[in-house]
């Protein structure tokens, strides 16, 4: 099945810094989502982005489907950005189930 | 507002006492699923449902039951909970594009 790898696994930044999180996947996909799990455990949809670029405030994402990767950009980080960021994809034989990366744990220090 | 609701949000129970976690979505989605999340193991799918009266096992179905009598509801049933079912549970709903998650249910079985 599809393999999903996220990097880096951990990231510690000062408030105001910018960051780039990466998601690599091993096969073609028809669905790719980025989620943020906050310190209280809630999973929040950030982007549905099987291809192309989207922006939402300080966050943006780009998926290059032909090269099998997606990037999540966070600019001017705030402490509320802390948490774990997950990439999840669907495609190939797993066309009904999201396949999850292990996540990037982001800590923003004040 | 697109929403997936779960109840209860927190539950402490004892071994063997049957419980039900309810899940409801207001997006008329056909696909719904249940996940559990444990430290170091990520999100694992328990059961999913492609439509009313159609359910199937995910990766970790042992000890759980589900039913899908109406499109909007997808309850998770633990007939005889055990301590190894202590976890954070998420219900999810998916339309043609992105998947939405409920707020989570923290279950502790003593």
């Amino acid at each position: 099945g599809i393999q999903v790898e996220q990097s880096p696994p951990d990231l510690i930044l000062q408030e105001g810094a910018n960051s780039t999180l990466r998601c690599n996947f091993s096969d073609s996909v028809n669905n790719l989502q980025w989620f943020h799990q906050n310190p209280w455990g809630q999973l929040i949809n950030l982007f549905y982005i099987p291809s192309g670029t989207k922006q939402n405030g300080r966050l943006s994402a780009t998926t290059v489907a032909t090269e099998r990767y997606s990037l999540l950009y966070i600019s001017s980080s705030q402490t509320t950005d802390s948490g774990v960021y997950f990439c999840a994809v669907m495609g190939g034989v797993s066309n009904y189930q999201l396949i999850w990366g292990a996540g990037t744990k982001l800590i923003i220090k004040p | 507002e697109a929403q997936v609701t779960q109840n209860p949000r927190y539950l402490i129970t004892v071994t063997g006492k049957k419980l039900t976690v309810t899940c409801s979505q207001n997006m008329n989605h056909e696909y719904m699923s249940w996940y559990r999340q444990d430290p170091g193991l990520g999100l694992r799918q328990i059961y999913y449902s492609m439509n009313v009266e159609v359910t199937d096992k995910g990766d970790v179905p042992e000890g759980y039951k589900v039913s899908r009598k109406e499109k909007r509801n997808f309850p998770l049933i633990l007939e005889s909970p055990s301590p190894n079912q202590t976890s954070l549970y998420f219900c999810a709903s998916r339309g043609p594009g992105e998947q939405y998650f409920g707020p989570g249910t923290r279950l502790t079985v003593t």
Side-chain angles (χ1 to χ4, degrees):
Chain A
I2 297 176
Q3 306 295 315
V4 181
E5 292 184 357
Q6 290 187 242
S7 59
D10 299 280
L11 190 56
I12 302 173
L13 298 171
Q14 289 296 132
E15 201 168 22
N18 302 329
S19 58
T20 301
L21 283 57
R22 188 176 180 102
C23 172
N24 292 335
F25 42 95
S26 61
D27 202 349
S28 59
V29 299
N30 52 35
N31 180 338
L32 188 146
Q33 289 185 247
W34 283 97
F35 297 92
H36 174 214
Q37 187 165 36
N38 64 24
W40 295 270
Q42 291 182 310
L43 275 167
I44 300 160
N45 288 36
L46 296 178
F47 295 102
Y48 168 70
I49 187 166
S51 64
T53 297
K54 290 186 178 179
Q55 180 155 8
N56 184 3
R58 296 182 294 104
L59 274 61
S60 63
T62 294
T63 297
V64 183
T66 53
E67 296 188 22
R68 298 180 183 169
Y69 73 88
S70 182
L71 301 173
L72 177 69
Y73 305 97
I74 305 173
S75 64
S76 304
S77 299
Q78 300 176 357
T79 55
T80 51
D81 295 330
S82 296
V84 182
Y85 290 80
F86 289 103
C87 167
V89 305
M90 191 159 32
V93 295
S94 300
N95 208 24
Y96 57 89
Q97 183 177 8
L98 280 175
I99 308 299
W100 294 77
T104 292
K105 184 175 182 180
L106 176 64
I107 298 173
I108 304 296
K109 294 188 170 182
Chain B
E1 178 191 353
Q3 204 169 20
V4 180
T5 57
Q6 289 179 234
N7 282 292
R9 296 287 312 280
Y10 303 90
L11 179 60
I12 300 174
T13 190
V14 295
T15 299
K17 185 177 181 182
K18 181 179 179 179
L19 66 94
T20 299
V21 185
T22 64
C23 173
S24 182
Q25 50 98 359
N26 65 357
M27 295 166 279
N28 203 36
H29 287 163
E30 292 183 346
Y31 183 94
M32 297 184 73
S33 58
W34 276 100
Y35 292 83
R36 62 178 289 174
Q37 187 179 29
D38 304 288
L41 295 177
L43 279 123
R44 295 180 292 169
Q45 193 178 58
I46 303 170
Y47 269 94
Y48 64 94
S49 170
M50 302 287 277
N51 211 329
V52 175
E53 302 292 2
V54 180
T55 63
D56 209 344
K57 296 176 181 179
D59 299 318
V60 287
E62 293 78 21
Y64 305 94
K65 285 177 60 177
V66 292
S67 69
R68 187 91 182 273
K69 294 183 169 53
E70 315 163 87
K71 186 181 272 192
R72 64 180 291 121
N73 296 324
F74 190 44
L76 179 70
I77 303 155
L78 285 72
E79 297 240 332
S80 184
S82 63
N84 65 12
Q85 292 179 298
T86 292
S87 188
L88 177 58
Y89 291 86
F90 290 100
C91 179
S93 160
R94 190 178 79 232
E98 62 191 296
Q99 182 153 293
Y100 295 87
F101 284 86
T105 295
R106 288 195 182 273
L107 172 65
T108 301
V109 183
T110 61

